Amino acid sequence: MSEKETKLTGKVFLNRVLAGTATGIVVGLIPNAILGELFKYLGTKMDIFISLLQVVQGFQYSVPIIVGVLIAMQFKLNPMQTIIVGAAAFVGSGAYVITDGAFMLVGIGDLINTMITASIAVLLVMVLGNKLGSMTILLLPIIAGAGAGAVGSFTLPYVKLITSSIGTLINSFTELQPVLMSVLIAVSFSILIISPISTVAIATAIGLSGLASGAANIGICAAAASLVIGSMKVNSIGVTSSVGLGAMKMMMPNLIKYPVIGIPLAVNAAISGIFAALFNIQGTPFSAGFGFSGLVGPINAMKFMEGNAVGNMGIALLAFFIIPFVGAFVVDFVCTKLIKLYENEAFKFVAAK
């Protein structure tokens, strides 16, 4: 191994953590994102699909472990070290709560704290190296696994304050005039969807409902459309399809490396948010944060619409797909061809190795 390969700077460390996290999110969330709503509908017809729905939902709970494992693999850790980092990431993620002595899964946890915990575990493993000798199998899980997990569990309440603070800010937008509210919420969620912050967690925490929920979903649709347009020029169809189907967070490393890509997302979200207000697109706290992933946003929006089913379907198609994608194409053309704000490479996805 060359000196260049062994030199680990802060930037290299962060990029590896982000790369592992981005891929882990895709692996963990895609099955439920693609099949969840389909199985939910088919479950009303045949019981077997209820079981299959529980499978893809259960798979989603493994996100913290998957993220931890893929982060560890970025640092070429051995199998035992890798699974220790994965276990520590799960413990520090907050994906479970303890009620009356019983462990209960409550989601995928806080992604930021998952990354912090996994990073601490990786650092402990690298610092300890082979210093534990024959006691490695006994002490490494305690020190790097339980130790990092303990630190993560202590930092979790403080890291969650980031999410709650953002939620408070977004909640203040609901007091504004409808069009302005829709624009601000759409723009906020368009950026949050490619950050480590959970849009679903924020929406449910502040009880985002009605037009505010609809605007949040439209903002996510606008972000997905912009990312698809940008990705299709430089990535494989698999990567682009994953982004379009709901795995927008896999673009987190791109946002960190090229913050400028947030501009086309925000502009497209602002345009789409205006139409969200004009069409009075609505939703619930539990449907906000999904966009058109699994058709959660469009299906819930149609429940609040008046008029016939065909007309409502046309409005949903226009608001959730046509306007965001047309807007994404136009904004991308302006940014890349006219003002040359960024190069297409800004959307190049680098998978975990």
Side-chain angles (χ1 to χ4, degrees), residues 7-85:
K7 186 176 181 180
L8 187 62
T9 64
K11 181 179 180 180
V12 171
F13 188 93
L14 176 61
N15 285 339
R16 291 182 182 181
V17 171
L18 289 172
T21 302
T23 305
I25 291 169
V26 178
V27 173
L29 297 184
I30 277 295
N32 188 48
I34 297 177
L35 301 173
E37 287 301 310
L38 175 62
F39 287 163
K40 192 178 295 184
Y41 168 74
L42 294 176
T44 62
K45 311 296 182 183
M46 297 178 63
D47 290 342
I48 182 63
F49 290 104
I50 296 177
S51 298
L52 292 175
L53 174 63
Q54 293 169 347
V55 169
V56 295
Q57 288 177 335
F59 189 82
Q60 185 170 276
Y61 288 123
S62 66
V63 166
I65 299 176
I66 295 173
V67 166
V69 166
L70 289 175
I71 287 175
M73 292 180 68
Q74 286 284 294
F75 294 91
K76 306 289 190 283
L77 302 188
N78 66 38
M80 184 181 73
Q81 295 169 336
T82 297
I83 199 60
I84 286 173
V85 174

Side-chain angles (χ1 to χ4, degrees), residues 160-174:
K160 280 186 174 180
L161 289 176
I162 300 174
T163 300
S164 61
S165 298
I166 294 174
T168 300
L169 174 63
I170 291 175
N171 196 41
S172 69
F173 296 156
T174 61

Side-chain angles (χ1 to χ4, degrees), residues 99-296:
T99 305
D100 297 327
F103 285 73
M104 181 181 300
L105 292 173
V106 293
I108 66 172
D110 189 290
L111 193 55
I112 296 177
N113 211 58
T114 300
M115 295 163 62
I116 291 173
T117 308
S119 299
I120 294 171
V122 167
L123 288 172
L124 286 173
V125 168
M126 295 175 68
V127 168
L128 292 172
N130 298 319
K131 296 176 183 177
L132 299 176
S134 61
M135 298 295 288
T136 296
I137 195 170
L138 296 176
L139 297 180
L140 193 63
I142 297 174
I143 300 173
V151 174
S153 65
F154 295 145
T155 61
L156 181 62
Y158 302 100
V159 173
K160 280 186 174 180
L161 289 176
I162 300 174
T163 300
S164 61
S165 298
I166 294 174
T168 300
L169 174 63
I170 291 175
N171 196 41
S172 69
F173 296 156
T174 61
E175 300 174 4
L176 301 174
Q177 186 268 346
V179 174
L180 180 58
M181 176 196 73
S182 296
V183 169
L184 291 176
I185 290 180
V187 170
S188 298
F189 273 74
S190 72
I191 302 300
L192 288 174
I193 195 61
I194 56 171
S195 77
I197 306 294
S198 170
T199 54
V200 175
I202 287 181
T204 54
I206 64 177
L208 211 60
S209 61
L211 177 58
S213 172
N217 272 327
I218 294 300
I220 292 172
C221 292
S226 293
L227 291 172
V228 166
I229 296 297
S231 174
M232 64 190 299
K233 299 177 181 179
V234 291
N235 293 314
S236 67
I237 189 172
V239 169
T240 302
S241 298
S242 296
V243 170
L245 290 169
M248 284 82 80
K249 286 192 183 297
M250 65 192 289
M251 288 295 180
M252 279 193 303
N254 300 71
L255 181 63
I256 299 297
K257 189 175 182 180
Y258 304 102
V260 70
I261 68 172
I263 294 177
L265 270 65
V267 172
N268 191 31
I271 296 170
S272 300
I274 293 173
F275 285 94
L278 295 178
F279 290 132
N280 194 28
I281 302 298
Q282 299 189 46
T284 68
F286 301 101
S287 67
F290 285 93
F292 51 62
S293 176
L295 297 180
V296 174

